Amino acid sequence: MAEMECQSIKMSISEEAQTTRKECGKRGRKPGRKTSTEKLDIKAKLERSRQSARECRARKKLRYQYLEELVADREKAVVALRAELERLIQWNRQLNENVIPNNNDQLLQDIGILKQE
């Protein structure tokens, strides 16, 4: 009999424990509350994001500098090629008019007929 009472007491205790658990609701942290480690994690994440943004801006700046230098070099090449084209056009006109160009040797060297000594 004492044994049955002991079991009934244990059952009532376990039933009370189950009801109190059900009354408590969800386990774990409550929404809206952040622990100090989570706050540190958020701060660290924000700092990493800021650092990543800084690095991205620096890469972008270097890329634009490289492209600007490339454009400047190409513009210089275009100017040089236009000057050479103008010079060749003038030599062509002189040859069509049966006039020997002033820099005949230079013309032949540029074309590749006459080798430099």
Side-chain angles (χ1 to χ4, degrees), residues 87 91 94 100-108:
R87 187 184 52 159
W91 282 349
Q94 290 174 353
I100 299 174
N102 297 336
N103 300 333
N104 195 21
D105 291 339
Q106 179 67 32
L107 172 64
L108 295 175

Side-chain angles (χ1 to χ4, degrees), residues 3-111:
E3 196 174 304
M4 279 184 91
E5 283 182 26
C6 197
Q7 285 180 349
S8 66
I9 291 172
K10 286 181 184 177
M11 285 177 43
S12 66
I13 291 173
S14 66
E15 288 174 2
E16 286 178 22
Q18 287 177 355
T19 57
T20 56
R21 283 188 194 155
K22 289 180 183 176
E23 291 172 7
C24 291
K26 299 178 184 176
R27 291 186 183 178
R29 63 181 176 88
K30 295 183 180 177
R33 292 187 183 180
K34 299 197 177 184
T35 63
S36 61
T37 57
E38 289 176 338
K39 288 179 184 177
L40 292 175
D41 289 343
I42 292 172
K43 287 181 181 180
K45 184 177 179 181
L46 286 173
E47 186 56 37
R48 285 193 306 269
S49 176
R50 289 184 191 117
Q51 182 64 28
S52 177
R54 276 187 226 109
E55 291 171 0
C56 180
R57 287 189 294 270
R59 284 192 306 270
K60 183 177 179 181
K61 184 178 179 181
L62 287 173
R63 188 179 326 118
Y64 274 93
Q65 287 175 349
Y66 167 74
L67 290 174
E68 287 173 353
E69 290 173 4
L70 193 64
V71 166
D73 291 344
R74 297 290 167 92
E75 286 175 347
K76 288 177 187 176
V78 167
V79 169
L81 288 171
R82 286 189 184 190
E84 182 181 355
L85 178 63
E86 186 60 36
R87 187 184 52 159
L88 291 173
I89 289 172
Q90 287 177 349
W91 282 349
N92 186 30
R93 284 185 193 140
Q94 290 174 353
L95 289 172
N96 285 339
E97 295 171 358
N98 292 327
V99 177
I100 299 174
N102 297 336
N103 300 333
N104 195 21
D105 291 339
Q106 179 67 32
L107 172 64
L108 295 175
Q109 285 177 359
D110 288 345
I111 295 173

